[in-house]
Amino acid sequence: MKLATFALLAGSTAAFAPSKVAQTSTSLNAFTDELGAQPPLGFFDPLGLLNKADQDYFDRLRYVEVKHGRIAMLAFLGQIATRQGQQFSGDIDLTGTSFDSIGNGFAAVGAMPSEGVAQIIFFIGFLEVAVMKDVTGDAEFPGDFRNGALDFGWDKFDDKTKLYKRGIELNNGRAAMMGILGLMVHEQLGGSLPIVGYL
């Protein structure tokens, strides 16, 4: 009886064994060696956004990823700084509402005067339209906004170091996107987090 049970179980495991999949050539193979396809995941596109993509579409997605990563890094550090107590001195509006009277996180959105929210939206719009773009057409990669004016030693690096530093920025941006998402979720759940404090 034990032998029959064992044979039955061993035979049923064949249903879960990996089968050989024919190698097909798709446009995905063009992006498997791009920056960001790193161990342990390698090339990761679970939603299939690049199934029929060309290089221009990939560059657009990479530009958006870098931009959102930069915004998330600022947002995460802003959360940490304001929760630690670092805020502007003075008033946010003419009626006397002080910066330190405005809460952190989601509480700040409802507490800010509508004029302040409008200023933020217009400022971000101005940055999008006039500042944060490749004006000269000399960008080396998606998200390169130096425009021949800013360098900070970038041109002194060799190609390997440039690729390494771009990978660092990409990974830090990915981590910051997950980090700020985690802070926002935990704020809605309530409770206390180490370092960040009571949310």
Side-chain angles (χ1 to χ4, degrees):
M1 184 66 178
K2 290 181 184 178
L3 183 60
T5 305
F6 178 74
L8 184 63
L9 287 174
S12 66
T13 59
F16 302 103
S19 61
K20 291 227 177 215
V21 177
Q23 294 291 332
T24 58
S25 177
T26 65
S27 63
L28 291 179
N29 291 337
F31 306 117
T32 55
D33 293 329
E34 288 284 344
L35 177 69
Q38 306 171 116
L41 292 178
F43 179 74
F44 186 67
D45 183 25
L47 298 177
L49 296 174
L50 298 174
N51 285 345
K52 296 180 181 178
D54 59 359
Q55 188 65 42
D56 289 338
Y57 185 69
F58 177 83
D59 288 344
R60 171 69 182 149
L61 290 178
R62 177 52 48 90
Y63 163 77
V64 170
E65 181 182 17
V66 168
K67 179 173 74 169
H68 287 129
R70 290 172 179 169
I71 292 167
M73 287 187 266
L74 290 171
F76 187 85
L77 290 177
Q79 278 272 15
I80 300 297
T82 56
R83 290 186 187 281
Q84 194 252 348
Q86 298 178 13
Q87 296 180 344
F88 293 116
S89 60
D91 297 333
I92 194 169
D93 62 6
L94 297 175
T95 62
T97 306
S98 64
F99 281 102
D100 58 0
S101 69
I102 294 180
N104 301 317
F106 286 110
V109 176
M112 277 194 304
S114 58
E115 295 86 2
V117 174
Q119 286 177 356
I120 291 171
I121 291 170
F122 284 125
F123 180 66
I124 292 171
F126 169 74
L127 290 176
E128 282 285 323
V129 172
V131 179
M132 305 305 281
K133 62 182 183 176
D134 180 25
V135 178
T136 62
D138 297 332
E140 291 182 29
F141 52 89
D144 180 10
F145 301 133
R146 291 176 293 144
N147 294 317
L150 301 173
D151 187 344
F152 301 115
W154 180 259
D155 291 331
K156 296 177 184 171
F157 295 131
D158 60 1
D159 289 340
K160 184 177 179 182
T161 305
K162 286 180 181 181
L163 195 64
Y164 177 72
K165 290 190 174 287
R166 286 179 53 212
I168 290 172
E169 180 189 23
L170 191 61
N171 284 331
N172 286 346
R174 289 171 175 172
M177 285 186 268
M178 297 306 293
I180 193 65
L181 179 65
L183 286 176
M184 291 172 14
V185 167
H186 280 282
E187 182 179 353
Q188 293 302 308
L189 293 175
S192 177
L193 289 176
I195 299 173
V196 180
Y198 185 76
L199 295 175

